[in-house]
Amino acid sequence: RVSGKLGLSHALWIVEHQNELPQWFMNLLGKVYVDFPATVAVSSGGDRSVPCIHGYGERWLLGWSWLGSDFDSGVRVARFRK
């Protein structure tokens, strides 16, 4: 897995612009998952997830990686800001 200070907007951009990405990045399809931990979604049950992209055939797809649960209040989304 590759992680950094990237969030949902970055993941969406990659999925929407994947036809313009360099071949070396497209060669990673099926080999890596990329997490975007600057955005954390928390369900009402406390489960935390971050956006991720993963390969499906010859395309990148947006999904969510489960982080675990510890928060118990309503659904919320947190975003990293500097």
Side-chain angles (χ1 to χ4, degrees):
R1 291 190 177 254
V2 177
S3 296
K5 302 277 193 235
L6 302 174
L8 179 59
S9 61
H10 299 99
L12 289 170
W13 187 92
I14 290 173
V15 170
E16 291 170 4
H17 293 90
Q18 60 187 293
N19 292 336
E20 305 160 29
L21 296 174
Q23 189 58 45
W24 66 264
F25 189 80
M26 297 307 289
N27 290 341
L28 297 174
L29 278 165
K31 298 176 184 169
V32 300
Y33 291 88
V34 183
D35 290 332
F36 296 83
T39 302
V40 179
V42 182
S43 74
S44 60
D47 293 331
R48 295 176 294 157
S49 300
V50 296
C52 71
I53 58 172
H54 55 88
Y56 182 77
E58 297 181 8
R59 306 290 295 167
W60 289 102
L61 292 180
L62 178 66
W64 292 86
S65 290
W66 180 71
L67 293 177
S69 59
D70 283 327
F71 299 117
D72 293 320
S73 58
V75 175
R76 61 184 178 242
V77 174
R79 214 180 91 179
F80 175 81
R81 283 194 182 175
K82 232 179 184 181

